[in-house]
Amino acid sequence: MLNGLLDDLIERGDSVAPVAHPSPSENPATTGFVAPSPVSPRLDSGKLPPALVKAALRVCDAHGDSEEQRQQMLADLASYPADRHGWLTDYLNEIGDRLEGPKPDVMDDRRTCSVCLNYRANRCLAAWRGELPATSRQYHPRPNQPRRCEGYQPNAEDPDRRHGRERWPGLMGDTLTNVRTTL
């Protein structure tokens, strides 16, 4: 499993090269190579740094790997020299971050259009229906930009079931109409 991740890294052109391991066919007396002992199904990961084990299992969780695949990942990591463990930890944390996606800020109540039920085919249906004042019916918002919107309609995964008009009552009203009446 780790070899596939490293192959992916090399294909991207990153400057870190994989560790070259001597071939078992080479003479151990002349190369200093000692064949690794066979890995048991239950690898003792106590020899690996806890941060590396945590990063590796996080990637496995994001992929939905089985217990056998998780053990294979730990076995692959155990085959690398200890001086590469820091680099592998950083690499696997980067992969884990990419697989898990951005974490929402607890204090930030904004939502992205991509999680709104009114966002379909790169178009805001609330704007198309004329529900958003001072907004073109052809409005095409950036789907991953957090915002507060009157037309927000929560999807099934949003624990806060309020619509945009209830969630952000200060947004309500036609801004242009309000400006005209105050002049």
Side-chain angles (χ1 to χ4, degrees):
M1 168 168 236
L2 184 60
N3 291 335
L5 292 173
L6 291 175
D7 292 341
D8 180 44
L9 179 67
I10 292 166
E11 286 175 17
R12 285 193 344 220
D14 289 356
S15 61
V16 179
V19 177
H21 294 286
S23 166
S25 63
E26 294 178 356
N27 184 350
T30 59
T31 63
F33 176 76
V34 177
S37 60
V39 179
S40 65
R42 292 280 183 217
L43 177 69
D44 178 20
S45 60
K47 296 176 182 165
L48 294 172
L52 179 57
V53 173
K54 182 178 178 182
L57 295 180
R58 181 175 162 219
V59 170
C60 289
D61 289 342
H63 278 291
D65 289 347
S66 67
E67 184 62 30
E68 180 180 317
Q69 291 168 319
R70 294 164 63 94
Q71 292 300 318
Q72 182 61 46
M73 171 69 101
L74 294 176
D76 290 347
L77 291 173
S79 71
Y80 283 86
D83 65 337
R84 293 290 187 185
H85 288 174
W87 175 83
L88 285 168
T89 301
D90 293 342
Y91 175 68
L92 290 173
N93 278 327
E94 178 185 321
I95 296 293
D97 290 344
R98 254 189 279 149
L99 291 172
E100 290 176 354
K103 294 182 174 75
D105 185 357
V106 176
M107 299 303 292
D108 190 359
D109 66 343
R110 299 176 299 169
R111 298 293 188 266
T112 61
C113 293
S114 60
V115 298
C116 176
L117 291 179
N118 277 325
Y119 183 72
R120 294 284 180 262
N122 296 323
R123 170 181 281 171
C124 177
L125 297 179
W128 180 75
R129 291 188 301 262
E131 296 172 5
L132 299 181
T135 304
S136 166
R137 293 174 57 96
Q138 302 302 317
Y139 179 52
H140 296 276
R142 289 188 220 151
N144 294 319
Q145 179 179 354
R147 67 183 80 225
R148 292 178 186 94
C149 175
E150 299 173 33
Y152 176 76
Q153 187 173 0
N155 64 19
E157 297 171 1
D158 193 341
D160 187 349
R161 304 303 304 155
R162 295 177 297 162
H163 293 265
R165 293 180 190 271
E166 299 169 41
R167 189 182 299 225
W168 304 292
L171 296 178
M172 293 184 46
D174 184 347
T175 307
L176 294 177
T177 303
N178 291 340
V179 169
R180 285 189 206 114
T181 60
T182 57
L183 292 178

